[in-house]
Amino acid sequence: MSSPAMVADERKTRDGDDYILEVSNLKKHFPISSGIVFQRQVGAVRAVDGISFNVIRGETLGLVGESGCGKSTTGRTILQLYRPTEGSVKFEGQELSTMAGNDLRQMRRRMQIIFQDPFASLNPRMTVGSIVSEPLQIHKMYANKQERQQYVEQLMERVGLNPYFINRYPHEFSGGQRQRIGIARALALQPSFIVADEPISALDVSIQAQVVNLMEELQDELGLTYLFIAHDLSMVRHICDRVAVMYLGKIVELGPVDEVYDNPQHPYTQALLSAVPVPDPVVEDNRQRIIISGDLPNPANPPTGCNFNTRCPVVFDLCYQEPDPPLIEVRPDHYVSCHRVV
Amino acid sequence: MSTLLEVNDLVVRFYTQEGTVYAVNGVSFDLEEGETLGIVGESGSGKSVSCLALMGLIPSPPGKVESGTVVFEGRDLLTLKPDQMRLIRGKEIAMIFQDPMTSLNPVLTIGTQITESLKLHEGMNTTQSRKRAADLLDLVGIPDAYRRLDDYPHQFSGGMRQRVMIAMGLSCNPKLLIADEPTTALDVTIQAQIIELVKQLKDEFNMAMIWITHDLGVVAGIADRIQVMYGGRIMESGSSHEVFRDSRHPYTVGLLGSLPRLDSSGEEKLTQIEGSPPDMRNEPEGCPFAPRCDVREQLQLEKCWDERPPLETVPDASGAEAHIMSCWADIREGVAENV
């Protein structure tokens, strides 16, 4: 049996893919402190608890799971918006977790983020033009103001916003248009990697397809790599090449998206997929649902043994005794962490 | 089966400082006993407001039910006095809301909140009502129910709170349960639990149900009949098989096309509906969907801008079921199928 990090290394030597991002044994624990004058740490929320995966250049990797499973924390820790508690994040071969200051700022030009809530992630007092050009100012690109404005107008046009609105404020736009502003801001520095943190879940159904299609077009055109964080499993199947399923701070299953959706191996993935409703009454009438009971355990106090043992329909002795096994390759490129599968 | 509820030409407006919001613009539908109606629409389509109106829960001012009738078991609810309505609300018609955290009172124990309607409508005393409340919690799958009556809402998880809301809704055996996006705030595995629970309880209590949602997948699994709303109007309505398998209205067709499917690999591009939902502060003269409608554009129909298309029955495959929709194109040219 090999550790998750070693599994990742084996993959690299085997298929020789060009990895834009290599994450190994990444942990992010948030301290819980108590005391008013003398603060001391009484515990930790293990938001991300030892995950390893790689992202291939040009692909879209989906990160799915329920709320509280640590998927957003993973995205933010990769970008060093949170500093990792442990583990390594290598972006284009360079270690980010020990990098700081100007070096890190230079790296940020190549990796950007699109946030979930287009209402909260845009400063209401800034015009669209200044929101989109702020990254350019910080990184001192386009010293000439006129050139910068021209570039911003180009960007706005590219994401489907009328450049005529460059001096308008966010509240004058609808949700879908605001998300386009967020995308333009992320693209401004011409990054190669974008973390999309639930970019469509705050949008109306008829607007979601517009934004997803735009993201796909931009990927083809600019050769972008996405880490697509979402809880909408149908959309993940549509947009992603590979998918990682997270549960309570750990990856339980990872593989090519059609493979994982058609042959889910982990009992959590099976339950998760069977819970997603399909907009077709004929399919719905004939579906067998796996209903898992209970709620997500508290990540500050995870169960001993496998994390999923409190809700797992096929739990047995070993699951309570041994911590969850490392990711094992069950089919080509398809990794699962489960005592049943080993 | 007989008709339980008949809504006729309901019009609801909100008079705000920023102008009049035309929230519901002439909505008519009816509901049989024991039937489940799914109302689907995006935010601002008027789906929640039309149901709040029939419960008499439109805040006034700024809201006002301008016209229409809501006949429930032979009585027009809109003409009832507040104290008469209070006897129906919670007893005959109950409602569960989207966000179980804000719809439960955080400073009262859930026991107090469930027993309130039992004492009011059923005239039970404290001992009886607590026993009944514990039975209800047990029924909705809350373990150790009797002891948990004295817990506060924050001591429950999101899914458990929604179960408490359902227990409250069911407490007086209502004939009609209105569920306003009850699973939208929940994770999919919890959503599946709640949907299973509601399906099972609906049969047990023999209730009619209106399930409001924006998720076409959810209604596909539970509704007998589906009503698609847009811009405060009904676009299309029919049995769920009809609406999903043989959708006629350009909006329904577009909406279904824009959804990726879990059960097929998504190679092809999603079809997108251009533009954004209408600003409800302008009263739509014609069809509210006209500015975004590709069928209108193809056919260059001028009528769509000027005149509201009536809700008309369209012939369906079997001819037996009522499939209703509101569109000039299909009625005149029979083209929506070819889009």
Side-chain angles (χ1 to χ4, degrees), chain A residues 33-48:
Chain A
S33 23
S34 105
I36 296 162
V37 181
F38 300 104
Q39 294 256 322
R40 65 203 156 82
Q41 194 180 332
V42 292
V45 176
R46 297 154 170 268
V48 179

Side-chain angles (χ1 to χ4, degrees), chain A residues 3-9 21-28 48-55 74 77-78 84-91 95 97 251:
Chain A
S3 75
M6 279 179 65
V7 174
D9 287 341
L21 183 78
E22 294 159 79
V23 175
S24 68
N25 196 29
L26 184 70
K27 289 186 185 173
K28 178 66 198 174
V48 179
D49 203 17
I51 63 172
S52 306
F53 63 93
N54 297 328
V55 184
T74 304
T77 314
I78 286 171
T85 309
E86 213 183 298
S88 117
V89 179
K90 271 190 190 158
F91 178 74
E95 180 62 50
S97 56
I251 292 180

